[in-house]
Amino acid sequence: MHMSNEDRLYSQYIYERMGQSSLWRDFGFIAYKMSNKECFIAEMFIHREKRTLGNGRKLLNDLVDIAKGNGCDVVTANIHLWDQNANKTLIAAISCGFEVSKSGQDVLLISLKLKEQ
Ligand SMILES: CC(C)(COP(=O)(O)OP(=O)(O)OC[C@H]1O[C@@H](n2cnc3c(N)ncnc32)[C@H](O)[C@@H]1OP(=O)(O)O)[C@@H](O)C(=O)NCCC(=O)NCCS
């Protein structure tokens, strides 16, 4: 996996400014924050031409391994209804085992429970 200098700078920026760790692949990245047994996905992006090929699921599985290794019991994310990809993201998330667990002002909180292995 090649991480460009720009990727490296962005990963350092979100870590320093927002405490977000990130996983980088040639096809995309995921930024997350773990606290109190919860692993919150702050950003997830798969290159437009690399979507619906299983890459998002692959990256999520890698994050799930990290979250479990750190004692988390749930992975969460927000879907903002104003996001033009909101419905696609929701379909992909449900396909990957997430469920809608809360709703607020134009935001859905989605959760993936991590089972003990
Ligand atoms: C949402 C996103 C991360 C999904 O990544 P992806 O690589 O396309 O997802 P995958 O190919 O691994 O698909 C995972 C599952 O979701 C389904 N899925 C993904 N995109 C879908 C779509 N547009 N329509 C229907 N199903 C979809 C897949 O069929 C698959 O289910 P299956 O294994 O049961 O067939 C990607 O579309 C993305 O980066 N979007 C732009 C950024 C964004 O909106 N991020 C989220 C902000 S909240």
Side-chain angles (χ1 to χ4, degrees):
M1 194 268 316
H2 174 73
M3 208 171 158
S4 71
N5 196 41
E6 288 83 359
D7 293 346
R8 229 182 291 279
L9 279 174
Y10 185 67
S11 72
Q12 287 168 9
Y13 167 75
I14 59 176
Y15 186 74
E16 184 175 328
R17 299 296 303 270
M18 287 159 303
Q20 294 170 9
S21 301
S22 48
L23 283 181
W24 293 79
R25 302 290 181 263
D26 289 338
F27 53 76
F29 75 94
I30 195 164
Y32 62 95
K33 208 170 172 175
M34 289 186 286
S35 63
N36 300 327
K37 297 192 168 200
E38 174 178 345
C39 178
F40 175 71
I41 298 175
E43 309 283 352
M44 181 167 182
F45 179 77
I46 303 297
H47 191 290
R48 192 174 275 277
E49 288 161 19
K50 305 279 173 65
R51 290 179 196 163
T52 67
L53 298 172
N55 287 317
R57 184 187 285 275
K58 219 181 289 177
L59 200 47
L60 176 68
N61 286 342
D62 290 346
L63 181 66
V64 162
D65 287 344
I66 292 172
K68 282 181 178 170
N70 281 276
C72 293
D73 53 27
V74 66
V75 177
T76 58
N78 284 330
I79 297 182
H80 296 272
L81 300 183
W82 44 259
D83 186 322
Q84 57 173 356
N85 286 325
N87 282 285
K88 285 182 184 165
T89 302
L90 182 59
I91 292 171
I94 299 278
S95 302
C96 289
F98 281 84
E99 53 189 41
V100 177
S101 49
K102 250 187 209 172
S103 66
Q105 275 193 325
D106 293 338
V107 185
L108 299 179
L109 177 76
I110 56 170
S111 308
L112 174 68
K113 289 194 188 99
L114 304 179
K115 296 187 188 80
E116 303 281 329
Q117 303 246 0

